[in-house]
Amino acid sequence: ITWCEGVRVMDMALTTINTGAGNDAIILGEFAKDCVFERCNIDTGDVTGWAASFTYSLDCTLENCEVQGKVTSIDSGSSDNTVLFQSSTNCYVRGGSIRGGNQGVDVITFGPDVGASGHRGGPSIGCGALGVWFENQQTDCATSHPGNYGSQFNENRAVVNTNGIRLRSPFDQ
């Protein structure tokens, strides 16, 4: 594996170039290690796609960022989830806010039918959201899925979400 390591992005405005034609991400980390996005404004521009997606990543963080997901015609699937951690370890959203989208933070296992790369992932371990303000997600402000392990969702606040936080993996908090 060749890791993309040590990326630091601070105090930037990041917006989409997605036309809504597919599952694109403003921040796309695959095999990312020790990457931090700090005090960034990340806006999906109200089109289908993710603000951030980390797959097979280790120790990556969105730190004190303001993240805006899709707000109109939100798909009930993961294509409109705002932040995804897929088959990753120790990746977090810390502080800041996440507004809009289907699910604000989605901790999942990268499965055989997801993505074009053909990789098959294992569980996400120890990923989640800490001290985040969640607002106006269509379903969950944050969730873990079965097959992951030890997701952390602590000291968050949520307004106007259908389900709040859903913990569905062993040793979630």
Side-chain angles (χ1 to χ4, degrees), residues 18 23-28 44 47-53 78-84 86 114:
N18 182 349
N23 290 349
D24 294 326
I26 296 169
I27 297 169
L28 182 60
T44 64
V47 295
T48 296
W50 309 302
S53 175
S78 65
S79 62
D80 284 335
N81 290 351
T82 310
V83 176
L84 279 83
Q86 304 178 97
V114 180

Side-chain angles (χ1 to χ4, degrees), residues 16-68:
T16 190
I17 56 170
N18 182 349
T19 62
N23 290 349
D24 294 326
I26 296 169
I27 297 169
L28 182 60
E30 188 168 307
F31 297 105
K33 182 179 177 185
D34 190 30
C35 296
V36 177
F37 292 82
E38 188 173 357
R39 296 182 311 270
C40 292
N41 290 314
I42 307 163
D43 189 343
T44 64
D46 200 29
V47 295
T48 296
W50 309 302
S53 175
F54 291 93
T55 306
Y56 310 120
S57 295
L58 174 65
D59 297 330
C60 294
T61 308
L62 298 180
E63 189 94 30
N64 295 312
C65 293
E66 303 299 316
V67 183
Q68 178 64 59

Side-chain angles (χ1 to χ4, degrees), residues 68-123:
Q68 178 64 59
K70 191 161 177 25
V71 293
T72 60
S73 301
I74 298 170
D75 181 25
S76 61
S78 65
S79 62
D80 284 335
N81 290 351
T82 310
V83 176
L84 279 83
F85 297 122
Q86 304 178 97
S87 298
S88 293
T89 300
N90 199 38
C91 293
Y92 287 95
V93 178
R94 287 193 172 96
S97 68
I98 298 177
R99 292 178 170 82
N102 182 46
Q103 296 172 323
V105 173
D106 189 9
V107 178
I108 64 175
T109 298
F110 191 75
D113 299 321
V114 180
S117 64
H119 299 297
R120 295 172 188 248

Side-chain angles (χ1 to χ4, degrees), residues 105-173:
V105 173
D106 189 9
V107 178
I108 64 175
T109 298
F110 191 75
D113 299 321
V114 180
S117 64
H119 299 297
R120 295 172 188 248
S124 285
I125 301 170
C127 297
L130 306 171
V132 176
W133 174 265
F134 290 97
E135 188 173 340
N136 294 327
Q137 282 74 40
Q138 180 169 285
T139 57
D140 312 315
C141 61
T143 188
S144 63
H145 289 265
N148 299 299
Y149 188 85
S151 303
Q152 303 265 329
F153 300 103
N154 297 314
E155 299 181 22
N156 298 301
R157 301 207 185 249
V159 210
V160 192
N161 293 290
T162 304
N163 295 324
I165 297 173
R166 285 200 294 169
L167 305 176
R168 300 183 276 176
S169 298
F171 297 99
D172 284 354
Q173 306 182 29

